[in-house]
Amino acid sequence: MVARTLWLWLCVVWLTTWLTEAIINPTTTSVCDLGPCRCARGRLICDCSTSNVKEIILKNEMFEMYTFSSVSVANCGHVHVTSRALSGLPALQQFSATNIASLTLEEQAFSWWADSASGLLINITDSSIPEFPSYCFHGSLRQVYLTSVNVSHVRPFAFSAIDRAERIDFTAVHFADLEPQAFKKFSVDFLIINHSRFHVFPTRTMMDIEVLQEVLLYNTTADRIETAAFKIHDPRSFRIVQCKIDHVEEGAFHVHTRGDVSIHENRFARVEEDAFVGFTVDRRYFEQAGKQDLIFENNTLTNFESGALTFNTSGFNPRLDWIMIDQRCSCPSISSWAADLVYFSSNTLYRTHVPQVDTVIYCSNPGPTSIRDFQRLYCNVTKSNILVKVLVGVGVVITLVVIGLVVYCGVQRRAKRYINVPTSPSALRPAGYGKPHMLVVPEGKTYRETELHVIVEHAEAIVPTEYVKERPDKDDQ
């Protein structure tokens, strides 16, 4: 009895060990039956929350005798996808990994080719990935979705030689470290970077990428975009919306479009000269469709170099509005901003000033104020004071001249009233008491009246002795 019990106990231990090994290193005979994995209607579903086993290794050999249209793993502590693990599943349509604490990927982990035009959909959500190695995403991939994922490191050519993907979408992804040429030479319809975080976009981050529909950077933050970080051609739309970028280097974008460019509602802490001049229109498309719109509206800049906002006008009609400078307005500064910030350029050797650009550039005063209004209200005060003083001085001089003329005319008029004083002998004899008075009125007419009140309002009595000396009597002669 003891021997039988011991034998049964040894069998249980061996079976448990074998099952654990089979789950950790699955074989073709155990993939659908053991541990957290099960098969259902052509799908492989592995959920570690229903098992004590928290680690899964996916190898090419484990799928040799199976045909799956979908493979999914979830809620595991560690999942390891080996090189070309999925390449033996030509009917595979979707691979998903959800809530994986550590997802380890080898080179060509998602290298998958198929003759059909459908392609493979890869969806990774709520997971941490130590590294995207070279050629990790490679081949006939229809769509790639990364959502709420932390990626510590991305090697060169991690995304490369992808055969006409429909969509590559990064939502709420944190890329801690990108190497140059991490995205290299592939074709995709839509390239979307949404609510994500980058430390640095190094030079040639995206190299020779063909985007046939749209490139969108939305609500994304980055410490720095280096020179020639984006080398993309043929998008019908390129949009940068509500992003926060600390430093944009010279020539950061080399983008040849077949449509419009829209940059709006962003914050740029520092912008170097010619940061956006690399947006151009594809020559053949320009010959067919003419100039496209380049919209730069409602963006905030803190620090910038001269010519930071230089736009290529050989293929674009730039539309500028509400360029907010996050600095206090000052008269010396706004003159420099109006003259040196924005330029239009049809070639690399010649650029022109933008007329009336001071109406679309704003600064803090403390609220937003256009630099034209600020200059009109505050920067012409000295000139206005001088003008006021000149006008006041001229007014005083004119007033004094008018007063002088009035006084002069009054004196002249009073003098004229006494010009025609009669000099005849009869007029020289002084009037005695009770005799008629001699009155002198204008035009030299003399009246002798006994009633003075008859013309009292029109003339006044004149004493002859005030004007003519008395003639000596004949007796005195």
Side-chain angles (χ1 to χ4, degrees), residues 220-265:
T220 292
T221 61
D223 294 339
R224 186 167 71 254
I225 300 179
E226 295 184 352
T227 300
F230 291 85
K231 287 195 171 185
I232 298 174
H233 58 89
D234 291 342
R236 293 185 179 274
S237 173
F238 191 105
R239 294 191 294 153
I240 304 175
V241 182
Q242 296 183 15
C243 294
K244 182 180 179 181
I245 302 172
D246 291 340
H247 189 175
V248 184
E249 293 187 0
E250 177 182 357
F253 301 92
H254 289 197
V255 179
H256 303 281
T257 74
R258 293 187 300 123
D260 298 338
V261 172
S262 180
I263 304 171
H264 60 91
E265 300 179 44

Side-chain angles (χ1 to χ4, degrees), residues 7 59 94 198 225 233 244 256 286 288 402 416 437:
W7 172 252
K59 296 181 179 180
Q94 178 176 344
F198 293 81
I225 300 179
H233 58 89
K244 182 180 179 181
H256 303 281
F286 173 75
Q288 298 174 358
V402 170
K416 286 182 179 180
H437 292 273

Side-chain angles (χ1 to χ4, degrees), residues 368-431:
T369 303
S370 72
I371 62 175
R372 169 175 286 189
D373 291 341
F374 184 85
Q375 187 173 32
R376 176 176 55 84
L377 294 173
Y378 300 100
C379 300
N380 294 325
V381 173
T382 302
K383 295 180 180 179
S384 299
N385 288 339
I386 294 175
L387 180 61
V388 169
K389 291 179 181 179
V390 170
L391 293 177
V392 170
V394 172
V396 170
V397 171
I398 292 174
T399 302
L400 293 175
V401 170
V402 170
I403 293 174
L405 289 175
V406 170
V407 172
Y408 176 78
C409 292
V411 171
Q412 291 296 319
R413 183 177 180 183
R414 185 176 181 85
K416 286 182 179 180
R417 298 173 65 184
Y418 306 104
I419 290 175
N420 298 318
V421 177
T423 57
S424 62
S426 60
L428 296 176
R429 188 176 295 111

Side-chain angles (χ1 to χ4, degrees), residues 274-304:
D274 294 338
F276 301 100
V277 77
F279 286 102
T280 60
V281 177
D282 179 76
R283 181 177 58 83
R284 293 182 180 179
Y285 185 79
F286 173 75
E287 292 174 354
Q288 298 174 358
K291 287 190 174 184
Q292 304 299 301
D293 288 333
L294 191 154
I295 303 170
F296 192 91
E297 295 181 351
N298 199 23
N299 295 291
T300 300
L301 288 73
T302 303
N303 298 294
F304 45 85

